[in-house]
Amino acid sequence: MKLVSGAFLSVSLLAGFLAAASAHADDAASNAPAAAPACEVPDYFLSGDVALPKVAEAVKAGGPLNILVVGSRSSAINAGAPEAAAYPGQMLTALKEKLPAIEVNLSVEIQAKKTAEEVAPGLAKLVESKKPTLVIWQTGTVDAVRAVDPDDFRNAVDAGVVALREAGVDAVLVNPQYSPRTESMISPSAYLDNMRVVAQEQEVPLFDRFALMQKWSEDGAFDLFAPVHGAELAKQVHGCLGRALSQFIIASAHPKPAQEN
């Protein structure tokens, strides 16, 4: 029990550093896209094998493209920090740059400390309220920390994806962050594998945040082993994730410029 509690504290700190550290950064600097030239995204992360037809339709029609991010603390913006500081805001900035003729809107729904089973039943109601074109569902970390039965986790993610499809929206799954400092306390592999299974069976795109951050860490782009993560690192990781996610959405939607319609 002490091990799980310690893991929860460590993962909570990791999940919070990307959002919390940004609150201490200079607002003017945070409003600009974070500079992280070393965080290349290999093509195999952006294959776009599974389509986002609703996103493609919205782009073809000239918008609007409404995106709802359902996530945990790592997708939050702390009080006093600009929206552009966290990865959803960075994603929004990048999408607006890539689709200048399209109105792109973003809303973020924080489901702190909730498992997939606790979040899934409310997804349809969120869609009804927010009316998104695309729902980006970030999940898995809390389940891993709480050692939720992997089969129960898979069933919950599957039910959530089905609910989103029945609500008439596109969905993208986002798996947990990579943290080399917490892997000795919790094992995310079963949850990562089950998210891949659901993504394949339900034919929804999976943005592999874990593998991408692991690659950046192994390549030396970011020192994720450091016991203290500062505001500048938070900005860089958020910026890289946001831009990579925007590329992933574009690749999955396969949108064409308006003049080609």
Side-chain angles (χ1 to χ4, degrees), residues 45-123:
F45 279 98
L46 307 170
S47 62
D49 291 336
V50 181
L52 294 174
K54 301 295 183 182
V55 173
E57 289 173 11
V59 173
K60 184 176 180 180
L65 172 57
N66 300 319
I67 301 175
L68 169 63
V69 174
V70 180
S72 58
R73 287 185 61 201
S74 64
S75 56
I77 302 295
N78 277 21
E83 183 175 294
Y87 83 80
Q90 294 286 332
M91 174 196 67
L92 177 64
T93 298
L95 283 174
K96 286 183 174 181
E97 291 174 353
K98 296 174 187 296
L99 303 170
I102 304 299
E103 177 187 347
V104 186
N105 303 305
L106 171 70
S107 57
V108 180
E109 186 73 21
I110 303 303
Q111 302 282 343
K113 299 183 181 181
K114 288 188 178 182
T115 64
E117 188 174 24
E118 292 169 330
V119 172
L123 289 174

Side-chain angles (χ1 to χ4, degrees), residues 43-228:
D43 289 342
Y44 59 82
F45 279 98
L46 307 170
S47 62
D49 291 336
V50 181
L52 294 174
K54 301 295 183 182
V55 173
E57 289 173 11
V59 173
K60 184 176 180 180
L65 172 57
N66 300 319
I67 301 175
L68 169 63
V69 174
V70 180
S72 58
R73 287 185 61 201
S74 64
S75 56
I77 302 295
N78 277 21
E83 183 175 294
Y87 83 80
Q90 294 286 332
M91 174 196 67
L92 177 64
T93 298
L95 283 174
K96 286 183 174 181
E97 291 174 353
K98 296 174 187 296
L99 303 170
I102 304 299
E103 177 187 347
V104 186
N105 303 305
L106 171 70
S107 57
V108 180
E109 186 73 21
I110 303 303
Q111 302 282 343
K113 299 183 181 181
K114 288 188 178 182
T115 64
E117 188 174 24
E118 292 169 330
V119 172
L123 289 174
K125 188 170 293 185
L126 280 174
V127 169
E128 182 180 357
S129 172
K130 303 293 185 178
K131 304 189 185 316
T133 312
L134 167 67
V135 174
I136 299 173
W137 185 15
Q138 171 198 310
T139 189
T141 300
V142 176
D143 296 83
V145 170
R146 294 187 183 178
V148 170
D149 184 277
D151 289 338
D152 291 341
F153 171 72
R154 183 182 68 248
N155 291 336
V157 175
D158 187 80
V161 170
V162 170
L164 292 172
R165 177 177 288 116
E166 292 178 348
V169 300
D170 283 343
V172 166
L173 294 174
V174 178
N175 60 16
Q177 295 184 97
Y178 169 69
S179 170
R181 293 181 60 80
T182 59
E183 281 193 297
S184 62
M185 294 180 286
I186 63 171
S187 177
S189 58
Y191 306 93
L192 298 171
D193 290 343
N194 277 303
M195 288 189 73
R196 294 188 189 100
V197 169
V198 173
Q200 291 173 357
E201 292 181 346
Q202 293 294 341
E203 297 185 336
V204 295
L206 170 66
F207 181 71
D208 199 344
R209 179 172 62 158
F210 184 95
L212 189 54
M213 289 182 66
Q214 184 177 36
K215 175 174 175 52
W216 288 337
S217 177
E218 292 172 351
D219 289 349
F222 303 113
D223 181 10
L224 300 180
F225 285 90
V228 178

